[in-house]
Amino acid sequence: MRNKFAPSALKVSAPGKIHLLGEHAVVYGKPALLATIDLRVTVSISPAKKFSGNSVFKRIIEPIIKKKFNLQKIPSYKLEVNSQIPLGCGLGSSAAISAAYIGALLSFLKIKWDLNLINKLTFEAEKVFHGNPSGADNRTVIFGGITIPSKLANNFVLINTGKPAETTKEMVELVAVHKDKYKKIFDDQERLVKELLPVLKNGNKQEFIRIIREGEKNLESIGVVSIFVKSIIRQIEKAGGAAKICGAGGKTKATGILLAYHPEKKVIEKIAGSLNLPFFNVALGVEGLRQNH
Ligand code: MEV
């Protein structure tokens, strides 16, 4: 039986995200469309005599909290991180872990939650992880959103091409080298994001396919899609669907998650299966950061 006087763990969870469109261009102030997914990271903190848990996360998060609240020391605790989100594959795992850890640590320190503040602090953590983040990932996993018509949402499949050899930071830096040359592409990505907005309301499948295909071409033009993944995407397009990388991408081989769409989603599942790539469905637009009881 649980000792009713023993302090219980504080649990905070945050969802992952997908980029419907606009990754990379968003780093240069262009709009992006992201949606939360129903895979979550849960961070638990419970008082302990000595710290235990992932010290890499601790070394990133604690200094941010200490600086903000002018603390010399944080009492020791046990840190547990459980993730349903595949790590480092473009589904916002770093933002979700940071947000949930910061939320749990604030509760542990009895500091009142303020989502805007947690968002700012998570953005600081994202800078440590990614160098020059846009802030879109942290904002999405904290505040939640967006929902899209079920006739589109029901035909999404996420294909996992594997963890990229390059980090998000490296991919963002790679694009930064040629950012002036890519200006027209970022502008075009902005046009597509704007064209996607009404489609997310009216659910027009053919328009959705066209926009995702054009958006993916732009991502390929800035060098964030490997040859291996381009060939998978061409197969999906040939079969009448559309697919794009989701997040920072990769140049060597794997690019993380592919967001794939086909009016008959079995067609995509068959392609992924024939390539021995894991695939799964997610619900979109779930709640952002929350305390779990
Ligand atoms: C990473 O999930 C998305 C990028 O646009 C970087 C960022 O927005 O910070 C590649």
Side-chain angles (χ1 to χ4, degrees):
M1 214 176 83
R2 203 167 73 94
N3 176 353
K4 69 176 178 174
F5 298 110
S8 55
L10 294 157
K11 285 192 181 179
V12 176
S13 73
K17 61 80 196 170
I18 55 166
H19 267 88
L20 290 163
L21 203 59
E23 56 272 84
H24 285 292
V26 69
V27 174
Y28 303 97
K30 299 295 181 188
L33 280 165
L34 295 88
T36 49
I37 57 172
D38 63 344
L39 297 178
R40 304 184 78 86
V41 163
T42 304
V43 172
S44 313
I45 287 188
S46 42
K49 288 213 170 76
K50 201 166 128 256
F51 174 81
S52 70
N54 186 313
S55 52
V56 175
F57 294 141
K58 179 181 189 267
R59 275 201 299 272
I60 293 174
I61 302 299
E62 278 201 358
I64 295 171
I65 302 290
K66 280 184 181 160
K67 186 171 169 212
K68 175 69 201 172
F69 298 100
N70 226 339
L71 302 172
Q72 298 295 325
K73 206 173 170 295
I74 292 178
S76 21
Y77 54 89
K78 177 178 168 192
L79 169 70
E80 285 169 286
V81 179
N82 290 303
S83 181
Q84 301 170 325
I85 310 170
L87 305 180
C89 290
L91 293 181
S93 56
S94 69
I97 292 171
S98 301
Y101 187 178
I102 290 170
L105 206 47
L106 292 192
S107 297
F108 177 64
L109 294 167
K110 303 204 167 34
I111 297 171
K112 203 170 163 280
W113 267 32
D114 165 355
L115 286 189
N116 284 314
L117 175 65
I118 295 179
N119 184 42
K120 275 193 193 131
L121 299 173
T122 306
F123 183 53
E124 292 306 311
E126 283 284 90
K127 283 188 203 161
V128 182
F129 280 113
H130 301 320
N132 181 28
S134 64
D137 289 17
N138 45 280
R139 173 159 281 280
T140 304
V141 306
I142 290 170
F143 293 103
I146 57 175
T147 38
I148 65 174
S150 52
K151 54 183 171 177
L152 290 178
N154 290 344
N155 289 306
F156 273 116
V157 182
L158 300 190
I159 303 175
N160 195 348
T161 70
K163 193 173 169 175
E166 301 80 14
T167 62
T168 295
K169 186 170 192 269
E170 284 162 351
M171 293 309 291
V172 168
E173 281 167 6
L174 199 83
V175 174
V177 175
H178 301 293
K179 66 177 195 304
D180 298 331
K181 196 173 94 191
Y182 295 154
K183 196 183 167 304
K184 279 212 171 75
I185 300 173
F186 298 147
D187 289 344
D188 198 52
Q189 220 55 344
E190 176 172 18
R191 167 187 69 85
L192 290 168
V193 165
K194 287 183 178 158
E195 288 178 7
L196 187 55
L197 275 173
V199 177
L200 294 183
K201 289 218 166 70
N202 65 33
N204 184 322
K205 296 174 183 174
Q206 284 318 316
E207 268 297 274
F208 187 70
I209 289 175
R210 174 188 66 82
I211 293 167
I212 296 298
R213 285 182 182 176
E214 287 184 34
E216 165 60 24
K217 288 274 150 47
N218 282 338
L219 287 161
E220 290 176 16
S221 305
I222 60 169
V224 296
V225 189
S226 70
I227 294 172
F228 167 70
V229 169
K230 275 186 210 170
S231 85
I232 304 170
I233 293 175
R234 293 297 91 79
Q235 268 194 59
I236 294 168
E237 290 173 348
K238 230 170 139 190
K244 62 176 279 293
I245 61 147
C246 183
K251 67 182 175 102
T252 310
K253 189 170 182 213
T255 58
I257 294 297
L258 272 190
L259 179 69
Y261 174 83
H262 195 289
E264 302 287 332
K265 83 173 176 212
K266 276 205 172 66
V267 175
I268 296 170
E269 294 174 347
K270 220 171 138 193
I271 293 175
S274 73
L275 296 164
N276 274 326
L277 293 173
F279 59 87
F280 52 101
N281 302 306
V282 284
L284 303 183
V286 302
E287 194 189 350
L289 190 74
R290 67 162 185 237
Q291 266 165 313
N292 293 26
H293 299 287

